[in-house]
Amino acid sequence: MLHLPFVRMFWRQFESISEGAAWFNVKDITVKRWLTGQINVNPMAEKLLIIRARGYFPDDTRWQGFRVCERRCIIITPENRVFSPKELDGWVLRNDEYHALKRLYELDYIPVRSNVVTPLPFRGGRRINAPLHETISKEKKKAYREYQEKVAKRRNAT
């Protein structure tokens, strides 16, 4: 990053030199030298500033448009929906309840997905070809129950 863009981005993100120095975990004099151009900016500091300016999310197409408001401690979606950490924590419980009820009542409801295909994440030199879990169909569950009933009848008959 060139010197002038760094200075502009720095002043957009921080109110004072001491605030920026505390965030970069360096001394005030180091930040002053970066801003005046006496020394080159540390490449890691440039990356950290870009990350803070983008809102902490990685440069990935799946996170495009999402951002974090550090002041309010919220995640903002591209549709401007707001999620707090407590609300996100509650989604885990809601998801567990949903799957428990689904298992209890043997519902095989599969939500309809849009045609948007999200690329699978990059994992260690290769991409995952398919999800690691398999959904069991209603027919398979029914056949398994019938088999279990037959086995139980045979045991009772003997």
Side-chain angles (χ1 to χ4, degrees):
M1 178 185 293
L2 298 174
H3 176 259
L4 193 58
F6 178 82
V7 173
R8 283 190 203 133
M9 195 178 296
F10 180 87
W11 288 117
R12 269 190 244 134
Q13 297 299 318
F14 300 108
E15 298 291 322
S16 66
I17 290 176
S18 59
E19 183 185 349
W23 198 79
F24 286 121
N25 201 22
V26 296
K27 294 184 179 179
D28 291 359
I29 191 70
T30 305
V31 174
K32 286 179 187 173
R33 289 178 182 152
W34 287 344
L35 295 175
T36 59
Q38 288 178 344
I39 59 172
N40 290 333
V41 180
N42 185 336
M44 187 54 73
E46 289 177 352
K47 289 178 183 176
L48 286 172
L49 185 60
I50 291 169
I51 289 170
R52 180 177 170 136
R54 290 192 78 243
Y56 298 100
F57 286 105
D59 189 20
D60 188 357
T61 56
R62 292 170 293 177
W63 288 105
Q64 193 170 17
F66 285 84
R67 54 187 204 277
V68 171
C69 179
E70 186 178 345
R71 185 178 52 81
R72 293 174 49 202
C73 190
I74 56 173
I75 294 176
I76 304 169
T77 67
E79 294 84 23
N80 285 330
R81 295 197 57 204
V82 176
F83 294 100
S84 69
K86 287 289 183 188
E87 189 176 359
L88 291 174
D89 222 10
W91 278 100
V92 175
L93 295 174
R94 183 177 284 177
N95 188 33
D96 290 344
E97 288 174 353
Y98 166 76
H99 286 291
L101 287 171
K102 204 170 132 178
R103 277 193 303 274
L104 182 65
Y105 294 106
E106 297 179 1
L107 300 174
D108 284 332
Y109 170 73
I110 300 171
V112 178
R113 295 192 60 174
S114 64
N115 291 336
V116 178
V117 177
T118 330
L120 293 168
F122 185 74
R123 298 274 190 244
R126 59 182 169 73
R127 290 201 181 271
I128 298 173
N129 293 329
L132 300 176
H133 61 278
E134 181 181 316
T135 306
I136 299 172
S137 69
K138 206 172 201 177
E139 290 79 25
K140 283 186 181 180
K141 286 182 183 179
K142 188 175 180 181
Y144 180 75
R145 274 194 311 265
E146 289 172 357
Y147 175 76
Q148 292 295 332
E149 289 172 4
K150 286 181 185 177
V151 169
K153 285 180 184 177
R154 285 183 198 155
R155 285 183 188 160
N156 292 338
T158 58

